[in-house]
Amino acid sequence: LVLFFPNDALLATFYPTSLKARFLGSMIFLTILVYLFENVRKFTQLRLEQEIESHKNTERALIRAKEGALMAKDIAEKAAQAKSTFLAQMSHELRTPLSGVIGLTDLLLDTDIDQTQKQYTEAARVNAELLLSIINDILDFSKIEAGKMDMESVDFQLEDTLDNISTLVGIKTQEKGLELLFKTDPSVPSALVGDPLRLGQILINLSNNAVKFTDAGEIVVSTELVKKDGAQVTLKFSVQDTGIGIPLEKQSVIFNSFTQADGSAARLYEGTGLGTTIAKQLTELMGGEIGLKSKEGVGSEFWFTIVVARQPVMRPIGIHDLKNIENEARLAQSGIRPGPSGDRQYPFRILVAE
């Protein structure tokens, strides 16, 4: 209207003064509202665009971080794999000539040598055996880290495994004047299916540690039945000693790699600190867990559980079975074979000679 009627007189001609004032005021108010609305709209649109861009930047940053983490993980896994492979290969290469050195020292001890030479040769053999033990620990540790440790599932007798432990560990306990005891609960089954070699390795590692850190007293190896689940059983083994014990603040890290109860123990007692680590990893591979109870100056008890299977028990043959066997033997002699309904399986075969 102002554009069409720029002259106030024309406006006054068509509209009263009060109406004109109200009209102009309304126009100004609407103009201000439109201006404010347009600015708010532009500001809101700008903020929205900024937020969208910020979210896109954050998303791109997360994607880059994820890709970087995956790449770093892949590099770390490859480095660990290369390290484990290198250790395994080097351990094999070192173990072969070292076994030869031990064999040659044993042969040398059987020859006619004087007392001084015998002492030197025995010292060389003991140190070679210690070095071989360390190499074996490193080899097993690298195998487990590389995921190349295969667990067997074979029939074995638990008494045989414990007898081997008694023979191997008993020599060291006799040298230190310690008593070695075995306690097996009567409910523990003897005929089992599992990996007796790895079970023996766990017991030997824990028993050798017990002997190493015990100067007087006894070593007790116990076995008990924890749970039956069909053909599977959970067994608990423990190795208790009367040695120096482990401080409470060190017990949480005793199963870490290359860790001993005390930093100075590496100088007082030989070893790499891998024995308990390997025992823990082997226990987990056998479906169990491991732990310890210890009091400094009193002694320690290391325990672990494993899951194994019981060997199937063959049903004894009764009088009724023997009669059936005789009947089938007569039918076989007469040339008549029993049909499918008469088929029977026995733990032996019948040989009919004409």
Side-chain angles (χ1 to χ4, degrees):
L1 291 174
V2 174
L3 292 175
F4 288 103
F5 304 100
N7 193 336
D8 291 342
L10 293 175
L11 286 174
T13 304
F14 292 97
Y15 299 98
T17 303
S18 58
L19 183 60
K20 180 180 71 172
R22 288 191 303 180
F23 177 77
L24 292 176
S26 300
M27 292 298 295
I28 293 173
F29 179 72
L30 290 174
T31 303
I32 294 173
L33 284 179
V34 171
Y35 175 78
L36 292 176
F37 176 78
E38 184 65 18
N39 280 276
V40 170
R41 186 187 65 80
K42 291 180 179 180
F43 177 77
T44 304
Q45 184 178 0
L46 179 61
R47 289 292 299 170
L48 182 60
E49 292 175 354
Q50 291 176 348
E51 288 292 333
I52 293 174
E53 185 65 23
S54 176
H55 282 295
K56 288 182 179 180
N57 292 335
T58 303
E59 186 177 355
R60 285 192 289 266
L62 290 174
I63 293 174
R64 288 194 297 268
K66 184 178 180 180
E67 292 175 351
L70 291 175
M71 186 179 298
K73 179 183 177 183
D74 185 57
I75 294 173
E77 289 177 350
K78 289 181 178 179
Q81 182 75 19
K83 180 196 69 174
S84 299
T85 303
F86 171 77
L87 287 175
Q89 291 177 348
M90 288 302 299
S91 298
H92 278 298
E93 295 297 328
L94 291 172
R95 190 165 59 172
T96 301
L98 191 56
S99 298
V101 171
I102 295 174
L104 289 174
T105 54
D106 288 336
L107 292 175
L108 184 59
L109 287 171
D110 293 335
T111 61
D112 187 14
I113 56 178
D114 59 38
Q115 188 64 28
T116 302
Q117 293 172 333
K118 185 176 181 180
Q119 291 179 354
Y120 291 160
T121 306
E122 287 179 346
R125 180 178 61 83
V126 169
N127 284 277
E129 289 178 347
L130 174 60
L131 182 57
L132 180 61
S133 175
I134 294 174
I135 291 175
N136 287 334
D137 286 345
I138 295 175
L139 177 61
D140 290 336
F141 180 72
S142 61
K143 276 185 176 180
I144 295 173
E145 273 199 335
K148 296 181 179 179
M149 179 66 73
D150 296 326
M151 307 301 294
E152 293 184 344
S153 182
V154 298
D155 295 347
F156 71 98
Q157 295 292 325
L158 182 60
E159 289 89 345
D160 295 340
T161 302
L162 295 178
D163 286 342
N164 292 334
I165 304 302
S166 176
T167 302
L168 295 173
V169 181
I171 299 174
K172 296 183 178 181
T173 56
Q174 289 179 1
E175 292 175 352
K176 297 189 69 172
L178 304 174
E179 189 175 5
L180 179 62
L181 304 174
F182 288 83
K183 295 196 309 182
T184 302
D185 191 272
S187 62
V188 175
S190 177
L192 303 173
V193 180
D195 194 331
L197 179 62
R198 300 307 173 189
L199 172 59
Q201 185 176 359
I202 298 172
L203 288 171
I204 289 175
N205 283 352
L206 298 181
S207 299
N208 284 341
N209 279 345
V211 175
K212 183 193 305 182
F213 297 102
T214 303
D215 295 327
E218 61 185 19
I219 310 296
V220 181
V221 180
S222 304
T223 310
E224 62 181 280
L225 177 64
V226 177
K227 184 178 65 173
K228 286 184 179 181
D229 186 9
Q232 288 189 332
V233 293
T234 301
L235 302 180
K236 180 180 180 181
F237 299 85
S238 63
V239 179
Q240 186 175 5
D241 62 62
T242 55
I244 62 176
I246 302 172
L248 183 61
E249 63 274 10
K250 298 292 184 180
Q251 294 181 16
S252 59
V253 298
I254 198 66
F255 294 105
N256 294 348
S257 305
F258 307 102
T259 300
Q260 290 188 339
D262 190 353
S264 61
R267 295 186 295 272
L268 298 176
Y269 304 95
E270 74 277 1
T272 60
L274 282 176
T276 53
T277 303
I278 294 173
K280 179 177 184 296
Q281 294 172 333
L282 290 177
T283 299
E284 292 173 350
L285 288 175
M286 300 177 75
E289 57 182 355
I290 192 170
L292 77 149
K293 295 184 293 184
S294 181
K295 186 175 181 181
E296 191 173 6
V298 176
S300 303
E301 179 184 0
F302 283 82
W303 60 267
F304 67 94
T305 61
I306 61 170
V307 179
V308 292
R310 292 182 296 174
Q311 294 182 23
V313 180
M314 301 211 41
R315 181 177 63 85
I317 299 178
I319 299 298
H320 180 71
D321 295 322
L322 292 176
K323 290 181 179 179
N324 289 333
I325 294 174
E326 291 177 359
N327 293 333
E328 291 176 6
R330 293 193 192 98
L331 292 174
Q333 288 177 345
S334 61
I336 301 175
R337 301 290 181 182
S341 60
D343 289 346
R344 298 180 181 272
Q345 291 185 354
Y346 300 98
F348 53 85
R349 294 184 303 170
I350 299 175
L351 177 62
V352 179
E354 297 181 357

